[in-house]
Amino acid sequence: MKLNAAQIEQTLHQYDAEAIPAEHPVVMKLQPLFGDHTYFLDNNGLNIVEPVEAQQADGHLVVVVNLASWSDPNAMSLQTHDPETTDLVVDLEGNIRH
C-alpha cells in the first residue's frame, strides 16, 4: 500500500519507525520484490502496511507487515522471509483507539 505524505506522518505518530523516502535508490530495488508500497524500517526490520481485512467500512485501519528481519545485531543487513503480519494496527485518520 502506497501512502501519501499525510498518511505517512499519521503512521509515524503511532508506529516507531522510519519511512524510506520514495526517491531513495533502495526503493527501486524493493519494488520488484514486494510491489509499490511505502516502506518502513524499525527495530524488527523492513515493513509495509496493508489494509486490515476484517475492518469496518471506513477503511482507514492498516496493519504493519514485516517483510525482512535484521540478520545481525547491528541492524546492517536484512534477511527476507514470507510476509509476517504483526499485531500493530495503525489508524490513518489518527483516531485514538482503545
Side-chain angles (χ1 to χ4, degrees):
M1 178 174 191
K2 191 83 165 170
L3 303 180
N4 64 38
Q7 291 171 322
I8 293 170
E9 183 177 339
Q10 196 56 244
T11 299
L12 294 176
H13 282 300
Q14 301 169 62
Y15 170 40
D16 186 20
E18 179 181 337
I20 301 174
E23 64 277 358
H24 193 284
V26 75
V27 172
M28 298 301 288
K29 294 180 181 181
L30 294 172
Q31 286 178 334
L33 296 172
F34 303 113
D36 192 22
H37 295 281
T38 301
Y39 295 95
F40 297 91
L41 289 174
D42 69 6
N43 290 336
N44 296 314
L46 178 69
N47 305 278
I48 58 172
V49 295
E50 290 290 345
V52 172
E53 289 182 21
Q55 67 181 318
Q56 306 87 347
D58 52 26
H60 62 270
L61 298 179
V62 294
V63 63
V64 175
V65 177
N66 182 260
L67 302 174
S69 299
W70 297 113
S71 61
D72 64 272
N74 297 323
M76 299 296 291
S77 180
L78 289 164
Q79 177 65 46
T80 60
H81 51 71
D82 290 336
E84 297 174 354
T85 302
T86 70
D87 294 332
L88 181 59
V89 175
V90 173
D91 185 336
L92 295 178
E93 292 183 354
N95 299 320
I96 297 174
R97 299 179 52 232
H98 299 281

